[in-house]
Amino acid sequence: MQSKAYLIEILFVTTLRPPPPARCAPSLPVSWFLLDVTTSKNQHKMSKRPKLSGAQGRKKRKEEEEKREKDRGSGLPVASTSAAQPTSFAAASSGVPVASTSAAQPSSDAAASSGLPAAPIDPADWPSALTEKVRTELVHRGPFVIDSDFTFPKQKDGRRCQHDYFNRLLINGEKVRRTWLMYSKKEDSLHCFCCKMFSKRDYKLSREGLKDWKNASHLLKVHEDSQEHNAHMATWKDLEVRFAKGLTIDKQEMALAEAERKRWREVLHRLVAIIQSLAERNMAFRESTDTLNKPDNGNFLKEVELMAKFDPVMKQHVSRVESGAGSHIHYLGKTIQNELIDTISSRIIKRIVEDIKTSKYFSIILDCTPDLSHKEQLSVIVRIVSQEDIPQVKEHFLGFLVAEESTGDHLSTLILKRIEELNIPFEDCRGQSYDNGANMKGKNKGVQARLLQLNSRAFLVPCGAHTLNLVVADAAKSSPDALGYFGHLAKLFKLFSASTHRWGVLLKHVKTTLKSWAETRWESRIKSIEAVRYQARQVREALLEVRETAKDPVVRVEAQSLAEEIGSYRFCICTAIWYDILSKIQYVSKLMQSPSMQLDVAVDLLKKTKDSLTSYRNTGFSDAQTTAKEMCEEMNVEAELKQKRLRTTKRHFGYESPDEPIQDALKKMETTFFNVVVDTAISSLDERFQNLGEVNDKFGVLLNFHNLQKEELLQQCQTLSTTLTHDSQLDINGTELAMEMQNFPPLPSKNMTNMELLTFLHEKKVAEIYPNMWVALRIFATLPVTVAAAERSFSKLKLIKTYLRSTMMQERLSGLSIISINHVVSNQLSYDDVVDDFAARKTRRVRL
């Protein structure tokens, strides 16, 4: 007992001793001097022992190693060659080699394994025998704290660990935090931090962990009242206070270690800033080499070199790396880049998840696209109504998921798994929006059908932009003249773009160049029509010049044919009609792609578009003739629509007589082209946006309640309450909602949108007076209109995963995309929080 008390006194009592001599690495582990006091004589004796060889020597060395391991398990200082040699505190305090190679020179296995093993984060992974170095690191780091929103797994009997176990209830009703209690995610067990470090007894809380959830409360109470636990608790707290005040035997070495720790954190702050900057600009990090001061070492190391020219912290770090001073650790390798990218993206996702849980209700937006490595990437977007300052619609990107199959079953399983991993309750989902693919919106086996089985309040809202594009496609395919018109535009662009000489001829005559159009995005074709609509004369003159200067007879014939087509009265009428129709539709399409677009506003825009097309049907053809005549006059061609000769074929005898052919060419064009295109567009608007209108009608009472009678108002409120009910769980009370609407304060305008009503309630600070109205308006604003956010994420995907970066790992791709797309959230992160998360991911040789 006396020897044990003497060792404890050596460990915790500050003694006066001269400072240690200067060494190559001034930062030494805390317990280095303790080992130096007790082992100098033993090392002297060991140096005088005769060297043994063969089996006898191996046996002797094995016995000595077992003895040292036994001494480490008892907590006594032991003679260790690694402790007797000067090493840095960073290397000795953790001992796990960093998976990174030096930017200036390659690392060796010997250098990577120079430190002693330190304790991992999870207490179940702690070594059975703790050394003084490990205990020092544990006291500095403190016990691992479980998140308050963590969901503990259930055992077979249905019981699980509870968050209440981490608090002690006093007799006066107050709760005191049990700082000594830790939870192991790996073993699903509870551990005592101080007893696991200092106790020699073998019981559950200090060794394998407590898993008896039935009696956990009683066992924890007995343990914290025990005399041994209190003694270990006092030892831990006393050592923690002494470390904080610097009252240790190696005070000078601790000061050097603290300075080294601050230096590493400053370096990591700058590395995180560089990674954020490169990720937000979608730039590549690496090239063919990972060595500093090489011309092809990539943007990341170039940024480090540039910062080292002006920043003293980075200049010192780069100098140490280049000179090889200290350890081989430098945090400039590709593995550390991946870890920092993952840490930053995880921090962003954590902030987004907090925002989602604060807002409560959310909608999901999904879309798929193949990348350059032929993997199907599923983009996951979450739409919420944030309540930070004022109600605001936000769409957050949660990353890309690899979809091995495109079936509705696989995609729905994929998104549900992702939501579960983020600990977001799917029962709070109120909307889902996809494109018009059968695997997404299928009524039986689509993603929306499978999600509706789990949550009937997750209303399907098909993408309005995709649907509007299909409206134009239906209209164009309804008439042969319409398809032929776009064929001539494609031939016109191909003729000029196929040769730099011909493109130069075009530029001499026009200000707005010809544009190509996508096969699927019909509304984008207005750009290709615009150049011909306002520059028909200039384009025709360019074609005539190509006809005169071209040496290829095929090109000359093609230019002559296109010049005649553009100068025809029929082509000018088609140009005017298509430009007017697509102008009306493109305006609505662009507005619907806004992230803040609301469902009620979108429905109102579609109604106005339909009314505009209906009105255009009455006067559009005559207006198009006027425009076409002006174009023909400018080109100095005759504005006359010639009737083509109609061929007649023999018909079998029938009782029904054939329709009389239309002799007037203009009348025929109006009947077979203009009326068909416009009528098809109007009918397609009604048919394809029926689902959108039905969802809007369910929430229509929120906007026109002031125009309804009491009975009708109560009935519609009850209907809305039933719609927002799933498994006897209600979002609102219909009767209370009707009463709130009857007593609603006077509105500034009777035609207010959903978001304007939300802002009105927020500014008046009356949300708690009208809670059902507040909840219903938030749910209505959460419903998405388009999947444009997912389409925009594909643009980032193409910028990040290029043909030069096609082998990028999925984790890195998703992390870079999260930082780039959610750059507003990324810029709000604290560098200290990122470094803390980075340090806590695994035990490192550098203590951060």
Side-chain angles (χ1 to χ4, degrees):
M1 294 298 293
Q2 292 180 356
S3 61
K4 185 175 182 180
Y6 175 73
L7 290 173
I8 294 177
E9 183 178 2
I10 291 178
L11 181 61
F12 297 108
V13 178
T14 304
T15 60
L16 297 176
R17 59 177 296 169
R23 299 178 177 89
C24 297
S27 300
L28 299 181
V30 175
S31 56
W32 189 85
F33 292 106
L34 301 179
L35 298 174
D36 189 38
V37 171
T38 57
T39 61
S40 59
K41 183 180 296 185
N42 293 334
Q43 292 175 7
H44 181 67
K45 292 180 179 179
M46 291 173 63
S47 63
K48 293 184 177 180
R49 293 177 183 174
K51 295 183 179 180
L52 300 177
S53 61
Q56 185 178 3
R58 288 193 296 270
K59 181 179 179 181
K60 187 66 175 179
R61 285 192 293 272
K62 183 177 180 181
E63 292 176 354
E64 292 177 354
E65 182 64 25
E66 291 176 353
K67 184 177 183 301
R68 284 196 295 271
E69 291 296 334
K70 183 177 180 181
D71 292 339
R72 289 192 185 99
S74 63
L76 298 177
V78 294
S80 173
T81 56
S82 61
Q85 297 174 356
T87 57
S88 67
F89 174 81
S93 59
S94 61
V96 177
V98 178
S100 172
T101 59
S102 175
Q105 57 186 3
S107 61
S108 63
D109 296 338
S113 59
S114 59
L116 293 177
I121 299 296
D122 197 303
D125 294 331
W126 288 11
S128 57
L130 301 179
T131 64
E132 295 302 326
K133 295 183 179 68
V134 174
R135 290 193 180 96
T136 301
E137 176 65 20
L138 289 173
V139 172
H140 274 287
R141 193 176 65 195
F144 174 71
V145 180
I146 199 73
D147 293 336
S148 58
D149 57 350
F150 179 76
T151 302
F152 297 99
K154 284 185 179 181
Q155 291 184 345
K156 295 181 179 180
D157 57 357
R159 291 186 173 89
R160 66 171 74 183
C161 181
Q162 304 293 332
H163 285 283
D164 293 340
Y165 295 158
F166 296 88
N167 297 304
R168 179 180 181 180
L169 184 63
L170 302 181
I171 194 172
N172 62 350
E174 294 181 345
K175 290 184 178 180
V176 179
R177 182 71 179 174
R178 286 170 171 158
T179 59
W180 51 269
L181 191 60
M182 299 185 301
Y183 176 76
S184 170
K185 294 182 180 180
K186 180 179 180 180
E187 298 293 340
D188 185 26
S189 58
L190 294 174
H191 299 262
C192 178
F193 179 74
C194 54
C195 294
K196 196 170 182 66
M197 280 199 303
F198 301 111
S199 178
K200 304 302 182 294
R201 296 181 57 186
D202 190 5
Y203 51 93
K204 289 186 176 181
L205 280 170
S206 65
R207 289 296 179 264
E208 67 270 17
L210 175 62
K211 300 181 181 179
D212 186 5
W213 306 130
K214 181 179 180 180
N215 305 308
S217 298
H218 173 70
L219 295 175
L220 292 174
K221 182 68 171 60
V222 172
H223 176 76
E224 66 185 349
D225 292 339
S226 64
Q227 184 177 1
E228 184 178 3
H229 169 77
N230 292 329
H232 296 153
M233 192 79 175
T235 302
W236 167 35
K237 293 300 180 182
D238 182 66
L239 185 57
E240 190 177 40
V241 170
R242 289 182 178 274
F243 281 157
K245 295 181 178 181
L247 300 177
T248 54
I249 296 177
D250 48 357
K251 180 177 180 180
Q252 181 179 1
E253 298 300 326
M254 287 296 295
L256 294 174
E258 182 65 19
E260 184 73 2
R261 186 186 72 87
K262 290 182 178 179
R263 185 186 72 83
W264 276 112
R265 292 186 71 90
E266 291 294 328
V267 170
L268 282 173
H269 285 178
R270 287 150 177 81
L271 297 183
V272 171
I274 292 174
I275 288 177
Q276 281 184 319
S277 176
L278 295 176
E280 290 176 5
R281 292 177 288 164
N282 311 306
M283 298 180 66
F285 281 61
R286 303 172 55 240
E287 285 192 19
S288 57
T289 182
D290 289 334
T291 306
L292 285 170
N293 299 319
K294 295 291 184 180
D296 54 349
N297 56 7
N299 293 320
F300 179 78
L301 292 181
K302 288 299 181 185
E303 292 281 344
V304 172
E305 295 171 5
L306 178 62
M307 187 176 291
K309 293 181 179 180
F310 307 98
D311 182 67
V313 175
M314 191 58 71
K315 181 178 182 180
Q316 180 190 9
H317 180 66
V318 171
S319 299
R320 289 166 63 102
V321 173
E322 292 176 342
S323 63
S327 65
H328 70 287
I329 303 172
H330 53 80
Y331 287 161
L332 300 180
K334 59 181 181 180
T335 304
I336 297 301
Q337 290 178 21
N338 291 337
E339 291 185 15
L340 287 175
I341 291 171
D342 188 52
T343 303
I344 298 171
S345 61
S346 299
R347 197 73 188 181
I348 293 174
I349 292 297
K350 184 177 181 181
R351 182 75 63 87
I352 292 175
V353 170
E354 292 174 357
D355 199 8
I356 294 173
K357 292 183 177 179
T358 302
S359 304
K360 184 175 174 61
Y361 302 111
F362 67 93
S363 296
I364 57 175
I365 300 172
L366 305 178
D367 203 358
C368 295
T369 188
D371 61 11
L372 284 174
S373 58
H374 308 290
K375 294 181 180 179
E376 192 75 12
Q377 298 287 350
L378 175 65
S379 178
V380 182
I381 309 290
V382 170
R383 178 185 171 103
I384 62 172
V385 177
S386 178
Q387 306 178 59
E388 295 177 353
D389 297 324
I390 60 174
Q392 181 182 2
V393 175
K394 292 184 179 180
E395 293 181 349
H396 294 298
F397 174 72
L398 297 183
F400 289 114
L401 304 176
V402 177
E404 298 177 356
E405 301 177 10
S406 298
T407 61
D409 186 18
H410 181 73
L411 293 178
S412 58
T413 303
L414 203 62
I415 183 59
L416 290 174
K417 181 180 179 182
R418 178 60 173 167
I419 292 176
E420 183 181 0
E421 290 174 353
L422 298 177
N423 200 19
I424 301 175
F426 180 69
E427 56 267 18
D428 290 337
C429 180
R430 292 296 176 269
Q432 44 180 328
S433 183
Y434 319 114
D435 58 12
N436 291 275
N439 60 337
M440 305 300 289
K441 60 172 293 187
K443 295 182 179 180
N444 298 321
K445 297 183 179 181
V447 175
Q448 65 97 9
R450 297 181 183 276
L451 296 186
L452 283 175
Q453 294 176 359
L454 303 176
N455 184 0
S456 61
R457 293 174 289 186
F459 305 106
L460 171 65
V461 183
C463 176
H466 280 83
T467 306
L468 200 60
N469 181 67
L470 292 176
V471 169
V472 183
D474 293 342
K477 295 175 182 178
S478 63
S479 171
D481 291 338
L483 292 176
Y485 173 77
F486 285 109
H488 286 107
L489 285 182
K491 291 171 63 177
L492 185 64
F493 176 78
K494 184 178 180 181
L495 175 68
F496 285 106
S497 63
S499 169
T500 56
H501 171 71
R502 294 195 290 270
W503 191 260
V505 172
L506 176 66
L507 293 179
K508 288 194 307 182
H509 293 83
V510 302
K511 295 181 179 179
T512 303
T513 59
L514 299 175
K515 304 291 190 305
S516 63
W517 42 265
E519 183 66 31
T520 55
R521 294 183 58 194
W522 282 84
E523 56 89 13
S524 67
R525 303 189 181 200
I526 189 174
K527 293 296 183 181
S528 61
I529 299 176
E530 184 178 6
V532 181
R533 166 65 178 82
Y534 294 103
Q535 302 177 127
R537 178 181 61 82
Q538 292 85 344
V539 173
R540 187 168 180 270
E541 290 176 355
L543 287 171
L544 294 176
E545 183 176 345
V546 170
R547 183 196 62 179
E548 299 297 332
T549 58
K551 298 180 180 180
D552 189 348
V554 177
V555 174
R556 299 183 65 176
V557 171
E558 186 73 15
Q560 175 68 26
S561 174
L562 289 174
E564 294 176 357
E565 182 66 30
I566 291 179
S568 66
Y569 189 38
R570 178 186 299 274
F571 185 87
C572 293
I573 293 177
C574 291
T575 300
I577 292 174
W578 271 118
Y579 185 79
D580 292 340
I581 293 177
L582 292 181
S583 296
K584 301 176 185 298
I585 293 179
Q586 190 205 30
Y587 175 75
V588 180
S589 178
K590 295 298 183 184
L591 289 178
M592 293 181 68
Q593 295 176 28
S594 172
S596 58
M597 176 54 61
Q598 307 155 48
L599 187 61
D600 56 321
V601 178
V603 172
D604 185 60
L605 286 173
L606 292 172
K607 289 181 179 179
K608 292 180 179 179
T609 303
K610 178 184 175 183
D611 295 340
S612 177
L613 289 175
T614 303
S615 176
Y616 181 72
R617 188 185 186 282
N618 300 325
T619 61
F621 191 72
S622 60
D623 294 341
Q625 292 182 60
T626 303
T627 303
K629 289 179 180 179
E630 295 176 355
M631 295 172 62
C632 289
E633 290 178 2
E634 188 178 1
M635 290 184 289
N636 196 20
V637 296
E638 184 179 0
E640 181 182 359
L641 188 63
K642 299 179 180 179
Q643 176 69 29
K644 295 182 179 180
R645 185 175 66 88
L646 300 178
R647 295 186 178 183
T648 58
T649 57
K650 293 183 178 180
R651 295 171 56 89
H652 295 287
F653 175 79
Y655 292 99
E656 295 181 359
S657 61
D659 295 336
E660 290 293 333
I662 302 175
Q663 300 297 330
D664 188 3
L666 281 175
K667 187 64 176 178
K668 181 178 181 181
M669 186 175 185
E670 181 182 7
T671 304
T672 61
F673 170 63
F674 176 77
N675 291 344
V676 171
V677 169
V678 178
D679 290 345
T680 304
I682 294 174
S683 61
S684 183
L685 275 174
D686 289 334
E687 179 183 352
R688 291 189 177 276
F689 284 98
Q690 182 180 0
N691 193 324
L692 193 70
E694 292 176 353
V695 176
N696 182 69
D697 293 340
K698 294 178 181 179
F699 294 86
V701 66
L702 301 176
L703 303 179
N704 62 347
F705 62 91
H706 47 272
N707 298 325
L708 301 177
Q709 298 297 327
K710 183 177 180 179
E711 293 77 8
E712 187 178 1
L713 177 64
L714 179 60
Q715 179 183 0
Q716 292 193 18
C717 289
Q718 292 287 5
T719 303
L720 180 60
S721 176
T722 304
T723 303
L724 296 176
T725 303
H726 177 72
D727 291 343
S728 70
Q729 297 180 357
L730 286 77
D731 288 334
I732 59 173
N733 185 295
T735 305
E736 295 179 359
L737 177 61
M739 295 178 60
E740 293 174 8
M741 290 180 173
Q742 294 173 7
N743 301 322
F744 208 75
L747 297 174
S749 172
K750 291 185 178 181
N751 296 323
M752 298 180 67
T753 64
N754 180 35
M755 285 301 299
E756 290 174 347
L757 283 174
L758 265 178
T759 306
F760 175 78
L761 291 176
H762 176 79
E763 291 177 349
K764 296 294 183 180
K765 299 182 179 180
V766 293
E768 60 181 342
I769 304 177
Y770 308 98
N772 292 279
M773 188 72 171
W774 176 255
V775 171
L777 288 172
R778 283 164 47 207
I779 295 176
F780 191 24
T782 303
L783 299 180
V785 179
T786 66
V787 297
E791 297 284 353
R792 284 189 285 268
S793 69
F794 296 154
S795 300
K796 294 291 185 180
L797 173 65
K798 293 179 181 179
L799 293 174
I800 295 173
K801 194 168 186 178
T802 62
Y803 74 99
L804 293 176
R805 308 162 72 186
S806 59
T807 58
M808 182 184 300
M809 296 178 60
Q810 182 66 24
E811 293 78 8
R812 185 182 177 99
L813 169 64
S814 185
L816 290 174
S817 303
I818 290 172
I819 299 173
S820 177
I821 297 174
N822 303 304
H823 59 273
V824 176
V825 181
S826 176
N827 292 329
Q828 297 173 354
L829 297 180
S830 170
Y831 289 156
D832 288 327
D833 293 339
V834 175
V835 173
D836 289 341
D837 291 349
F838 174 72
R841 283 177 175 259
K842 62 182 181 181
T843 308
R844 299 186 175 278
R845 296 191 60 194
V846 175
R847 193 173 70 86
L848 305 173

